[in-house]
Amino acid sequence: MVDPTENESLIGAHTLKAFDEDLDQLRALISQMGGLAEHQIRESMRCLTQRDIEGARKVVEADRRLDELETETERRAIETIALRAPLAGDLRDVVAALKISNVVERIGDYAKNIARRVEELESAPAIEPLSLMPEMARIATEMVHDVLNAFVERDAETALRVARRDQAVDDFYNSIFRTLLTHMMEDSHNIGHATQLLFVAKNIERVGDHATNIAEMVYYAATGGRMADALNADDTV
Amino acid sequence: MVDPTENESLIGAHTLKAFDEDLDQLRALISQMGGLAEHQIRESMRCLTQRDIEGARKVVEADRRLDELETETERRAIETIALRAPLAGDLRDVVAALKISNVVERIGDYAKNIARRVEELESAPAIEPLSLMPEMARIATEMVHDVLNAFVERDAETALRVARRDQAVDDFYNSIFRTLLTHMMEDSHNIGHATQLLFVAKNIERVGDHATNIAEMVYYAATGGRMADALNADDTV
């Protein structure tokens, strides 16, 4: 007869291994979503600056793939919670995966929103905000990239660094906002497309905000503590 | 000796009752969040039209309460899944609660965003978009109210009706957008505040979108089917 204690610990080890595999799959799904969202933002910027209407249509269509991946992540996360009944720290990881996939899907929505404005901006003159925006988007996309790596690596320090970089995106936004207003005031012919560009800039700024939200979730999943406390500690140094 | 079958069904009945109580609590939390989000939108509109800067500050502060309620809903939803291991339809209800609380929290963020613009709009002239916006917000808020009732009542029909009403909010948005552009073109002094109002209108339009998203979740939780199919069936009549 098998020693019941040994049997129990075997079951425990089996559940643990199954849980780790589940979590690895969730992380892989989120990496995949992140790669796709980054690509979508970059493509929407390329289409905007090169006035590629056909490319913009493809960005809009490709967003559906992100929606599907989010649904898949959600299904697996819920299944993991229901089947493995993870405790404390493990449960925090699964819930973080669930929430992060939702935020990445929203980041994809911003790429789609930007792509949808490309057609209306086809005849826009090459004003300087148009050349600043890809750089602003590059920083925001890098934040998304780094924070998702931080999630996979459970790296609270990188998450903190990502959150600190959001100020650069906000500075870009404020500068672009002011410049666009000036363009509108100088020539009322600029008002139509400058308004469209305002919304584009706002969308990129929101990508930075969302990367920061993910940073907070990663920080909490990795440490159980609030990132705001760590950032406030910064300020007092 | 107790009949084991009877004992088992007692345990089953107990788990079922506990699950129903959990779900009722989740629904109560979401109703509470919904009531607060509606109030926040209405208040942000009142502060905007009455230029009540102090009131707007209170709206911004009160948003924290919605964040707390979302965290609480999330905690309880996860706990319910982990403890009661609900199946199929029941699990759909809990996941819907989890996702809906997230969307209601975002609706609250729009109220906060609107309230934050009140100060910059203090000296704005009383142009007509300012009087159209509260009516647009009223429809959007009503959609939020009705769709959350539909969630509590598991009422797929009401959810469908809410989704159909989103077109009215979009029509308001397009009309306000065009009017604001005209104001900017007529007088460049209008550009600053008209830009702020563009973002306000966009925020209200997003509230309608989010109510529609919730309608889709309610429809799915109640029927297991996709709302898009039901709406397409409409079009072919």
Side-chain angles (χ1 to χ4, degrees):
Chain A
M1 195 186 152
V2 182
D3 173 359
T5 335
E6 190 183 306
N7 197 15
E8 204 169 82
S9 90
L10 271 175
I11 293 172
H14 174 76
T15 307
L16 213 65
K17 189 160 173 290
F19 175 78
D20 285 344
E21 282 170 7
D22 285 358
L23 196 57
D24 282 347
Q25 283 191 334
L26 285 174
R27 288 191 177 120
L29 271 169
I30 284 175
S31 288
Q32 194 186 344
M33 287 185 75
L36 192 49
E38 287 168 42
H39 173 79
Q40 290 276 90
I41 300 275
R42 265 196 306 273
E43 262 299 281
S44 70
M45 279 292 120
R46 188 194 62 72
C47 295
L48 184 72
T49 47
Q50 300 181 1
R51 290 133 209 261
D52 178 353
I53 295 174
E54 195 42 51
R57 261 189 220 120
K58 281 185 191 142
V59 171
V60 173
E61 277 165 30
D63 183 58
R64 206 177 307 158
R65 183 73 192 120
L66 270 176
D67 296 346
E68 288 165 3
L69 284 169
E70 191 211 357
T71 307
E72 172 73 8
T73 310
E74 180 188 298
R75 195 184 59 73
R76 285 183 186 233
I78 301 292
E79 210 174 82
T80 302
I81 296 171
L83 286 179
R84 322 285 181 212
L87 298 173
D90 285 343
L91 184 57
R92 274 212 304 270
D93 274 338
V94 181
V95 175
L98 189 66
K99 298 180 78 168
I100 290 171
S101 78
N102 180 258
V103 181
V104 178
E105 189 269 329
R106 282 158 71 183
I107 290 174
D109 283 344
Y110 290 116
K112 183 174 72 176
N113 288 347
I114 293 170
R116 278 192 176 143
R117 294 187 190 274
V118 168
E119 196 164 346
E120 295 221 37
L121 284 161
E122 198 189 3
S123 60
I127 52 177
E128 69 269 38
L130 253 179
S131 44
L132 281 178
M133 266 188 244
E135 178 57 16
M136 178 186 178
R138 200 191 55 74
I139 303 176
T141 314
E142 209 176 70
M143 286 172 68
V144 174
H145 179 86
D146 290 353
V147 81
L148 293 182
N149 275 350
F151 170 64
V152 173
E153 311 282 343
R154 296 183 61 105
D155 177 354
E157 272 309 308
T158 299
L160 259 179
R161 274 199 299 277
V162 168
R164 287 190 195 110
R165 238 182 301 160
D166 194 35
Q167 189 56 51
V169 177
D170 289 349
D171 290 345
F172 259 101
Y173 173 73
N174 289 325
S175 163
I176 289 172
F177 182 89
R178 275 195 303 269
T179 312
L180 286 171
L181 247 57
T182 313
H183 275 281
M184 293 192 214
M185 287 175 188
E186 276 170 10
D187 184 348
S188 66
H189 290 101
N190 290 330
I191 288 175
H193 61 256
T195 306
Q196 296 292 333
L197 286 175
L198 267 183
F199 282 117
V200 172
K202 188 75 194 168
N203 281 334
I204 307 173
E205 190 248 352
R206 295 294 291 147
V207 172
D209 287 348
H210 281 1
T212 306
N213 289 347
I214 297 178
E216 285 164 7
M217 294 172 198
V218 171
Y219 190 88
Y220 178 73
T223 67
R226 286 175 58 243
M227 176 177 265
D229 298 332
L231 287 172
N232 288 340
D234 268 16
D235 294 342
T236 57
V237 173
Chain B
M1 195 184 150
V2 182
D3 173 359
T5 336
E6 189 184 304
N7 197 15
E8 203 168 84
S9 88
L10 272 176
I11 293 173
H14 175 75
T15 306
L16 213 66
K17 190 162 174 290
F19 174 80
D20 285 345
E21 283 169 7
D22 284 358
L23 196 57
D24 281 347
Q25 283 190 334
L26 285 173
R27 289 194 177 116
L29 272 169
I30 285 176
S31 288
Q32 195 187 343
M33 287 185 75
L36 192 49
E38 287 167 44
H39 174 78
Q40 289 278 91
I41 300 275
R42 265 196 306 271
E43 262 299 283
S44 70
M45 279 293 119
R46 188 194 62 73
C47 295
L48 184 72
T49 46
Q50 301 182 0
R51 291 133 209 261
D52 178 353
I53 296 174
E54 194 42 51
R57 262 190 218 118
K58 281 185 191 143
V59 171
V60 173
E61 277 165 31
D63 183 58
R64 207 178 306 158
R65 183 72 192 121
L66 270 176
D67 296 345
E68 288 165 4
L69 284 169
E70 190 211 356
T71 306
E72 172 74 5
T73 310
E74 180 188 298
R75 194 184 60 71
R76 285 182 185 233
I78 300 291
E79 209 173 84
T80 302
I81 296 172
L83 287 179
R84 321 285 180 212
L87 297 173
D90 285 344
L91 184 57
R92 273 210 306 270
D93 273 338
V94 181
V95 175
L98 188 67
K99 298 181 77 168
I100 289 171
S101 78
N102 180 258
V103 181
V104 178
E105 189 270 328
R106 284 157 71 185
I107 290 174
D109 282 345
Y110 290 116
K112 182 174 71 176
N113 288 347
I114 293 170
R116 278 190 175 144
R117 294 186 191 275
V118 168
E119 195 164 348
E120 295 222 37
L121 283 162
E122 198 190 3
S123 60
I127 51 178
E128 70 269 36
L130 254 179
S131 44
L132 281 179
M133 266 188 248
E135 178 57 17
M136 179 188 178
R138 200 191 55 74
I139 303 175
T141 314
E142 207 177 73
M143 287 171 68
V144 174
H145 179 86
D146 291 352
V147 82
L148 293 181
N149 274 351
F151 171 64
V152 173
E153 310 282 343
R154 296 183 61 106
D155 177 352
E157 273 310 307
T158 300
L160 260 177
R161 273 199 298 277
V162 168
R164 287 192 195 108
R165 240 181 300 161
D166 194 34
Q167 189 56 51
V169 177
D170 289 349
D171 290 344
F172 259 102
Y173 173 73
N174 289 326
S175 163
I176 289 171
F177 181 88
R178 274 194 304 269
T179 312
L180 286 171
L181 247 57
T182 310
H183 275 282
M184 294 192 212
M185 286 175 189
E186 276 169 7
D187 184 348
S188 66
H189 291 101
N190 290 330
I191 289 176
H193 62 255
T195 305
Q196 296 292 334
L197 287 175
L198 267 182
F199 282 118
V200 172
K202 188 74 192 168
N203 282 333
I204 306 172
E205 190 248 351
R206 296 294 292 148
V207 171
D209 287 348
H210 280 1
T212 307
N213 290 345
I214 296 177
E216 285 164 7
M217 293 173 199
V218 171
Y219 190 87
Y220 179 73
T223 67
R226 287 174 58 241
M227 177 178 265
D229 299 332
L231 287 172
N232 288 340
D234 268 16
D235 293 342
T236 57
V237 173

